[in-house]
């Protein structure tokens, strides 16, 4: 396994914070070239977690991030190195195990299914909303989705660190996963402009919201698994909301309803 390089203030801070809370700092080290308020805060967290930190020059940091996607190379003066770890996200869960536990539980659950959302910036923004509004799981396809190793740094930055916390399950077949959710008592809501207004809808105790790609929407076979189609009333002059914004609105409404029940 090669080293995993993490950049971006939010992503680095959340990974360090998670290490501090879980007591798992093995293999982690920080390199920094300048100390501003954000870097100082991260270094203080790292000290509490017993994560070593090394002062280096800017060229050394540039060298560390050279192999990352272009948008992840802006290290802002600090880089977290995770030795002996692949770039696979550490919050990935086994879907079959998760659904087996959810089936036995009567607790409120919220799942977000992402169908063919390939832009890692959108995925990152969606994960940020999932963290803020309490989604229990994000389900993504193994293919036709932004979950490849090379996208992880972009996702981490776009999610403002939420990618370190939100449980994600990557499955080979979204239709089968949707069927499993229904068998476990989930009601599936497909997001589409022609659906029932979310203002008039009461989400079920176990809710799964399906978001399709901006170009093609939800795939036909997956759409057929949905129990209800839900839409967001708008007043703009363009056709639709960005998928990450739409996901955030639906997740907020789900969260809002949970507060009033």
């Amino acid at each position: 396994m090669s080293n995993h390089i993490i950049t971006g203030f939010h992503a680095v801070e959340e990974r360090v914070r998670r290490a501090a809370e879980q007591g798992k700092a093995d293999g982690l080290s920080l390199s920094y070239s300048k100390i501003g308020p954000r870097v100082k805060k991260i270094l203080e967290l790292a000290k509490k977690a017993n994560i070593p930190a090394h002062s280096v020059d800017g060229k050394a940091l540039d060298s560390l991030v050279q192999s990352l996607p272009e948008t992840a190379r802006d290290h802002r003066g600090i880089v977290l190195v995770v030795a002996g770890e692949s770039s696979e996200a550490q919050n990935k869960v086994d879907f079959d195990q998760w659904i087996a536990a959810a089936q036995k539980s009567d607790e409120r659950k919220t799942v977000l299914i992402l169908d063919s959302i390939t832009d890692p910036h959108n995925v990152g923004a969606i994960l940020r909303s999932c963290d803020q509004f309490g989604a229990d799981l994000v389900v993504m396809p193994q293919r036709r989705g932004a979950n490849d190793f090379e996208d992880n740094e972009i996702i981490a930055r776009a999610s403002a660190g939420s990618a370190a916390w939100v449980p994600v399950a990557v499955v080979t077949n979204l239709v089968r996963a949707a069927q499993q959710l229904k068998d476990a008592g989930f009601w599936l809501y497909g997001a589409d402009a022609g659906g029932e207004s979310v203002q008039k809808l009461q989400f079920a105790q176990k809710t799964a919201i399906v978001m399709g790609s901006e170009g093609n929407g939800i795939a036909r076979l997956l759409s057929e698994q949905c129990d209800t189609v839900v839409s967001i009333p708008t007043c703009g002059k363009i056709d639709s909301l960005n998928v990450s914004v739409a996901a955030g609105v639906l997740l907020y409404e789900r969260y809002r309803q949970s507060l009033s029940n």
Side-chain angles (χ1 to χ4, degrees), residues 81-179:
V81 179
V82 188
E85 176 183 278
S86 71
S87 59
E88 183 173 1
Q90 297 302 295
N91 55 330
K92 286 188 177 178
V93 301
D94 182 273
F95 180 74
D96 291 334
Q97 292 179 357
W98 190 94
I99 202 70
Q103 190 164 14
K104 298 175 183 177
S105 173
D106 294 327
E107 294 180 358
R108 179 185 298 270
K109 297 288 184 184
T110 304
V111 174
L112 196 67
I113 300 175
L114 305 185
D115 179 25
S116 302
I117 298 178
T118 56
D119 185 343
H121 296 91
N122 277 335
V123 172
I126 289 170
L127 288 175
R128 188 172 186 175
S129 292
C130 286
D131 174 60
Q132 291 298 298
F133 301 127
D136 297 285
L137 181 70
V138 175
V139 181
M140 302 175 63
Q142 195 168 50
R143 297 182 180 180
R144 306 185 318 279
N147 57 60
D148 293 335
F149 296 164
E150 63 188 84
D151 290 332
N152 274 349
E153 303 303 335
I154 301 173
I155 291 172
R157 291 171 71 92
S159 72
S162 299
W165 301 99
V166 178
V168 174
V170 177
V171 299
T172 56
N173 190 313
L174 283 181
V175 175
R176 188 184 306 124
Q179 292 171 338

Side-chain angles (χ1 to χ4, degrees), residues 1-5 15 26-28 81-87 90:
M1 288 187 181
S2 58
N3 291 343
H4 180 197
I5 307 298
R15 184 59 190 271
D26 291 346
L28 302 184
V81 179
V82 188
E85 176 183 278
S86 71
S87 59
Q90 297 302 295

